[in-house]
PDB file of all heavy atoms in Angstrom:
ATOM      1  N   ALA A 128       2.882 -10.679  15.576  1.00 98.00           N
ATOM      2  CA  ALA A 128       4.335 -10.786  15.451  1.00 98.00           C
ATOM      3  C   ALA A 128       4.950  -9.452  15.050  1.00 98.00           C
ATOM      4  O   ALA A 128       6.006  -9.054  15.552  1.00 98.00           O
ATOM      5  CB  ALA A 128       4.699 -11.863  14.426  1.00 98.00           C
ATOM      6  N   VAL A 129       4.290  -8.738  14.141  1.00 98.00           N
ATOM      7  CA  VAL A 129       4.779  -7.410  13.745  1.00 98.00           C
ATOM      8  C   VAL A 129       4.605  -6.425  14.886  1.00 98.00           C
ATOM      9  O   VAL A 129       5.510  -5.643  15.201  1.00 98.00           O
ATOM     10  CB  VAL A 129       4.052  -6.913  12.472  1.00 98.00           C
ATOM     11  CG1 VAL A 129       4.497  -5.492  12.124  1.00 98.00           C
ATOM     12  CG2 VAL A 129       4.313  -7.843  11.301  1.00 98.00           C
ATOM     13  N   ALA A 130       3.443  -6.452  15.538  1.00 98.00           N
ATOM     14  CA  ALA A 130       3.181  -5.523  16.642  1.00 98.00           C
ATOM     15  C   ALA A 130       4.174  -5.721  17.792  1.00 98.00           C
ATOM     16  O   ALA A 130       4.529  -4.763  18.486  1.00 98.00           O
ATOM     17  CB  ALA A 130       1.750  -5.698  17.145  1.00 98.00           C
ATOM     18  N   ALA A 131       4.644  -6.945  17.959  1.00 98.00           N
ATOM     19  CA  ALA A 131       5.578  -7.236  19.043  1.00 98.00           C
ATOM     20  C   ALA A 131       6.952  -6.616  18.822  1.00 98.00           C
ATOM     21  O   ALA A 131       7.752  -6.532  19.765  1.00 98.00           O
ATOM     22  CB  ALA A 131       5.716  -8.746  19.216  1.00 98.00           C
ATOM     23  N   THR A 132       7.219  -6.143  17.606  1.00 98.00           N
ATOM     24  CA  THR A 132       8.538  -5.561  17.315  1.00 98.00           C
ATOM     25  C   THR A 132       8.669  -4.130  17.801  1.00 98.00           C
ATOM     26  O   THR A 132       9.779  -3.601  17.853  1.00 98.00           O
ATOM     27  CB  THR A 132       8.836  -5.597  15.804  1.00 98.00           C
ATOM     28  OG1 THR A 132       7.908  -4.740  15.103  1.00 98.00           O
ATOM     29  CG2 THR A 132       8.732  -7.010  15.257  1.00 98.00           C
ATOM     30  N   HIS A 133       7.529  -3.487  18.151  1.00 98.00           N
ATOM     31  CA  HIS A 133       7.604  -2.074  18.561  1.00 98.00           C
ATOM     32  C   HIS A 133       6.398  -1.709  19.412  1.00 98.00           C
ATOM     33  O   HIS A 133       5.266  -2.083  19.091  1.00 98.00           O
ATOM     34  CB  HIS A 133       7.635  -1.174  17.317  1.00 98.00           C
ATOM     35  CG  HIS A 133       8.284   0.150  17.554  1.00 98.00           C
ATOM     36  ND1 HIS A 133       7.732   1.109  18.384  1.00 98.00           N
ATOM     37  CD2 HIS A 133       9.442   0.682  17.093  1.00 98.00           C
ATOM     38  CE1 HIS A 133       8.515   2.173  18.402  1.00 98.00           C
ATOM     39  NE2 HIS A 133       9.560   1.942  17.630  1.00 98.00           N
ATOM     40  N   ASP A 134       6.636  -0.982  20.473  1.00 97.00           N
ATOM     41  CA  ASP A 134       5.548  -0.578  21.369  1.00 97.00           C
ATOM     42  C   ASP A 134       4.534   0.325  20.678  1.00 97.00           C
ATOM     43  O   ASP A 134       3.387   0.430  21.121  1.00 97.00           O
ATOM     44  CB  ASP A 134       6.108   0.157  22.589  1.00 97.00           C
ATOM     45  CG  ASP A 134       6.860  -0.768  23.534  1.00 97.00           C
ATOM     46  OD1 ASP A 134       6.665  -1.996  23.435  1.00 97.00           O
ATOM     47  OD2 ASP A 134       7.652  -0.259  24.357  1.00 97.00           O
ATOM     48  N   ASN A 135       4.939   0.997  19.602  1.00 98.00           N
ATOM     49  CA  ASN A 135       4.052   1.949  18.923  1.00 98.00           C
ATOM     50  C   ASN A 135       3.184   1.308  17.847  1.00 98.00           C
ATOM     51  O   ASN A 135       2.425   2.006  17.179  1.00 98.00           O
ATOM     52  CB  ASN A 135       4.872   3.066  18.271  1.00 98.00           C
ATOM     53  CG  ASN A 135       5.360   4.084  19.279  1.00 98.00           C
ATOM     54  OD1 ASN A 135       5.269   3.875  20.476  1.00 98.00           O
ATOM     55  ND2 ASN A 135       5.883   5.196  18.787  1.00 98.00           N
ATOM     56  N   ILE A 136       3.309  -0.004  17.642  1.00 98.00           N
ATOM     57  CA  ILE A 136       2.515  -0.679  16.610  1.00 98.00           C
ATOM     58  C   ILE A 136       1.367  -1.437  17.259  1.00 98.00           C
ATOM     59  O   ILE A 136       1.572  -2.233  18.177  1.00 98.00           O
ATOM     60  CB  ILE A 136       3.378  -1.638  15.774  1.00 98.00           C
ATOM     61  CG1 ILE A 136       4.506  -0.873  15.065  1.00 98.00           C
ATOM     62  CG2 ILE A 136       2.514  -2.367  14.736  1.00 98.00           C
ATOM     63  CD1 ILE A 136       5.432  -1.757  14.250  1.00 98.00           C
ATOM     64  N   LEU A 137       0.160  -1.187  16.772  1.00 98.00           N
ATOM     65  CA  LEU A 137      -1.052  -1.816  17.278  1.00 98.00           C
ATOM     66  C   LEU A 137      -1.643  -2.723  16.210  1.00 98.00           C
ATOM     67  O   LEU A 137      -1.766  -2.314  15.042  1.00 98.00           O
ATOM     68  CB  LEU A 137      -2.084  -0.760  17.680  1.00 98.00           C
ATOM     69  CG  LEU A 137      -1.583   0.407  18.544  1.00 98.00           C
ATOM     70  CD1 LEU A 137      -2.681   1.447  18.692  1.00 98.00           C
ATOM     71  CD2 LEU A 137      -1.120  -0.098  19.896  1.00 98.00           C
ATOM     72  N   ALA A 138      -2.034  -3.921  16.573  1.00 98.00           N
ATOM     73  CA  ALA A 138      -2.627  -4.868  15.635  1.00 98.00           C
ATOM     74  C   ALA A 138      -4.150  -4.756  15.660  1.00 98.00           C
ATOM     75  O   ALA A 138      -4.774  -4.830  16.725  1.00 98.00           O
ATOM     76  CB  ALA A 138      -2.206  -6.281  15.979  1.00 98.00           C
ATOM     77  N   VAL A 139      -4.749  -4.565  14.482  1.00 98.00           N
ATOM     78  CA  VAL A 139      -6.206  -4.516  14.358  1.00 98.00           C
ATOM     79  C   VAL A 139      -6.606  -5.563  13.324  1.00 98.00           C
ATOM     80  O   VAL A 139      -6.417  -5.379  12.122  1.00 98.00           O
ATOM     81  CB  VAL A 139      -6.697  -3.122  13.907  1.00 98.00           C
ATOM     82  CG1 VAL A 139      -8.222  -3.115  13.795  1.00 98.00           C
ATOM     83  CG2 VAL A 139      -6.220  -2.048  14.873  1.00 98.00           C
TER      84      VAL A 139
END
Side-chain angles (χ1 to χ4, degrees):
V129 176
T132 65
H133 205 293
D134 290 342
N135 283 11
I136 300 178
L137 313 172
V139 180

